[in-house]
């Protein structure tokens, strides 16, 4: 019998193919999610979120901050305007190369942000996330 996953649906948003590949493999190894959706830009991800209609919203969104065009903070600002059913369900994990306290504080000023992780994703990060997710 397959091991149960932590969540049903996860979205990874990162402009780096290498980072997306590594994060996806890592989440697969830890059986984190039944479904994984990968987006190379915040714009693509927002467009998908705005049009999911009857489809279930993601449980977790891993968001890179440093991206061209629409960066992670712009994504967070726009996310606040999405339908309530998405905002109620989707929790955001900032996964970034930044270790700036200013970025961290700014990220946590958004209610949907539940975690701030400096890349790369580690086993301890997944353990922490499990605790956070099981609390919600």
């Amino acid at each position: 019998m397959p091991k149960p996953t932590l969540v049903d649906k996860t979205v990874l948003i990162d402009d780096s193919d290498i980072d997306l590949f590594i994060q996806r493999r890592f989440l697969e190894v830890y059986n984190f999610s039944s479904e994984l959706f990968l987006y190379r830009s915040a714009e693509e991800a927002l467009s998908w979120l705005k049009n999911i209609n009857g489809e279930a919203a993601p449980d977790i969104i891993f968001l890179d901050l440093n991206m061209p065009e629409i960066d992670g903070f712009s994504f967070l600002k726009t996310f606040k305007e999405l339908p309530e059913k998405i905002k109620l369900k989707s929790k955001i994990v900032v996964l970034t190369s930044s270790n700036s306290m200013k970025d961290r504080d700014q990220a946590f000023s958004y209610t949907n942000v539940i975690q701030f992780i400096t890349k790369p994703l580690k086993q301890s990060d997944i353990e922490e996330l499990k605790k956070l997710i099981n609390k919600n």
Side-chain angles (χ1 to χ4, degrees), residues 104-132:
R104 186 185 176 86
D105 292 345
Q106 190 178 346
F108 278 121
S109 72
Y110 293 89
T111 49
N112 285 71
V113 173
I114 61 165
Q115 186 65 296
F116 186 99
I117 298 170
T118 302
K119 291 178 189 174
L121 204 49
K122 296 173 289 306
Q123 183 177 353
S124 57
D125 297 323
I126 297 293
E127 295 305 319
E128 278 301 303
L129 267 177
K130 278 183 185 172
K131 291 177 196 161
L132 285 170

Side-chain angles (χ1 to χ4, degrees), residues 6-7 10 32 58-63 76 79 87-95 104-117 125-136:
L6 189 60
V7 297
T10 299
F32 188 81
D59 301 289
I60 298 288
I61 298 171
F62 285 94
L63 175 67
L76 290 168
F79 186 87
K87 292 189 296 187
L88 287 172
K89 184 166 186 208
S90 301
K91 302 294 173 220
I92 298 172
V93 176
V94 172
L95 181 58
R104 186 185 176 86
D105 292 345
Q106 190 178 346
F108 278 121
S109 72
Y110 293 89
T111 49
N112 285 71
V113 173
I114 61 165
Q115 186 65 296
F116 186 99
I117 298 170
D125 297 323
I126 297 293
E127 295 305 319
E128 278 301 303
L129 267 177
K130 278 183 185 172
K131 291 177 196 161
L132 285 170
I133 291 166
N134 290 331
K135 269 198 301 196
N136 294 331

Side-chain angles (χ1 to χ4, degrees), residues 11 13 39 41-53 55 70 75 78-79 82-83 86:
V11 171
I13 306 169
Y39 292 99
S41 75
E43 199 172 16
E44 277 178 48
L46 285 166
S47 169
W48 174 74
L49 285 166
K50 287 174 186 167
N51 294 302
I52 58 175
N53 301 326
E55 208 183 315
I70 299 177
F75 175 91
T78 308
F79 186 87
L82 290 174
I86 294 172

Side-chain angles (χ1 to χ4, degrees), residues 24-58:
R24 187 188 85 214
R25 287 296 305 135
F26 193 85
L27 294 173
E28 286 170 351
V29 166
Y30 282 94
N31 223 21
F32 188 81
S33 186
S34 304
E35 289 184 282
L36 272 175
F37 294 85
L38 280 61
Y39 292 99
R40 293 196 65 236
S41 75
E43 199 172 16
E44 277 178 48
L46 285 166
S47 169
W48 174 74
L49 285 166
K50 287 174 186 167
N51 294 302
I52 58 175
N53 301 326
E55 208 183 315

